[in-house]
Amino acid sequence: AQSVAQPEDQVNVAEGNPLTVKCTYSVSGNPYLFWYVQYPNRGLQFLLKYITGDNLVKGSYGFEAEFNKSQTSFHLKKPSALVSDSALYFCAVRDPRNSGNTPLVFGKGTRLSVIA
Amino acid sequence: NAGVTQTPKFQVLKTGQSMTLQCAQDMNHNSMYWYRQDPGMGLRLIYYSASEGTTDKGEVPNGYNVSRLNKREFSLRLESAAPSQTSVYFCASSEALPAGGVSYEQYFGPGTRLTVT
């Protein structure tokens, strides 16, 4: 069965510092991996995805994520955090070998707080 | 384009009452989904519809029913609401389900905040 874990409920970072939000996954084969962001009282917004190819994926708002197969990780990063990046971040995964073509499985979310 | 719209935005029900949450998308997407979001639990899939005319159970379908009315609309019904169904409900859509080496991102509505007393 596919699953995804976000080991940190909360991440605090100072504005201007680099940020990392961690995600690890568990699937049988090569995964499809996604990051979404949720601002207060809003729905989730797509940030980026990894399907195949280059392990470093660039997405919206200056975010990027690195797929690491040996560590089964897909950490979200940004070189310089902004206060406006403060939000709830979700990692999601799907095993493409799942013959049922089921939707994504989401992690529990990590709340990012960027302090001015 | 409005994207994914949901009505109502807020609702308070008494235990045992019924209601239907409405969702519509204008992106001509084939697949639609209903999730609930609870603190510390992330998003959990209730039901999904791979295409018009089909629906399937997700992780937490008990107490809910769905109708894919047409390609645009996917409704979620609570027949007899319970306090455990107090949650924020999100509808989402995507071009299709993942298949054949392609996985499309999902687009989410703004959510419905439901309280059952």
Side-chain angles (χ1 to χ4, degrees):
Chain A
Q2 59 205 18
S3 65
V4 62
Q6 295 179 243
E8 301 157 317
D9 291 334
Q10 172 94 32
V11 170
N12 298 318
V13 63
E15 187 176 30
N17 283 2
L19 70 87
T20 299
V21 182
K22 295 180 180 177
C23 172
T24 59
Y25 65 88
S26 174
V27 300
S28 303
N30 293 321
Y32 296 158
L33 292 158
F34 294 72
W35 275 103
Y36 285 81
V37 60
Q38 184 182 28
Y39 298 103
N41 300 314
R42 303 286 296 275
L44 277 70
Q45 297 177 30
F46 169 76
L47 275 180
L48 51 80
K49 67 180 178 182
Y50 170 83
I51 303 299
T52 187
D54 195 346
N55 288 344
L56 184 64
V57 179
K58 293 189 184 297
S60 306
Y61 312 122
F63 283 94
E64 58 188 29
E66 185 167 12
F67 171 62
N68 188 317
K69 188 173 183 178
S70 63
Q71 297 186 2
T72 62
S73 68
F74 189 57
H75 300 333
L76 181 70
K77 300 183 180 185
K78 188 174 181 181
S80 179
L82 300 172
V83 171
S84 57
D85 293 330
S86 299
L88 190 56
Y89 290 82
F90 289 94
C91 183
V93 68
R94 187 187 177 274
D95 184 347
R97 299 192 304 175
N98 187 330
S99 60
N101 290 336
T102 53
L104 301 176
V105 173
F106 284 83
K108 294 184 178 182
T110 298
R111 187 165 301 280
L112 172 67
S113 181
V114 181
I115 303 156
Chain B
N1 285 353
V4 180
T5 57
Q6 292 182 235
T7 55
K9 286 188 167 52
F10 301 93
Q11 184 72 49
V12 179
L13 292 178
K14 293 188 189 315
T15 298
Q17 287 184 319
S18 62
M19 79 160 295
T20 300
L21 280 64
Q22 306 287 354
C23 173
Q25 51 91 9
D26 62 1
M27 295 173 282
N28 202 35
H29 285 170
N30 288 301
S31 302
M32 298 185 73
Y33 317 81
W34 276 106
Y35 292 88
R36 59 178 289 173
Q37 183 180 25
D38 302 291
M41 302 292 289
L43 270 78
R44 293 182 292 169
L45 183 66
I46 305 171
Y47 272 93
Y48 66 101
S49 171
S51 60
E52 187 178 354
T54 69
T55 60
D56 285 284
K57 295 178 181 179
E59 182 185 354
V60 289
N62 291 346
Y64 305 96
N65 285 302
V66 289
S67 295
R68 183 74 183 267
L69 304 169
N70 48 54
K71 192 171 185 180
R72 288 187 64 249
E73 299 171 288
F74 187 39
S75 63
L76 178 72
R77 183 160 178 83
L78 287 70
E79 291 291 351
S80 179
S84 60
Q85 294 178 303
T86 293
S87 187
V88 181
Y89 291 86
F90 288 101
C91 178
S93 71
S94 66
E95 191 164 332
L97 286 182
V102 178
S103 189
Y104 300 99
E105 53 266 32
Q106 296 178 0
Y107 293 83
F108 284 78
T112 295
R113 190 172 296 274
L114 175 67
T115 301
V116 183
T117 60

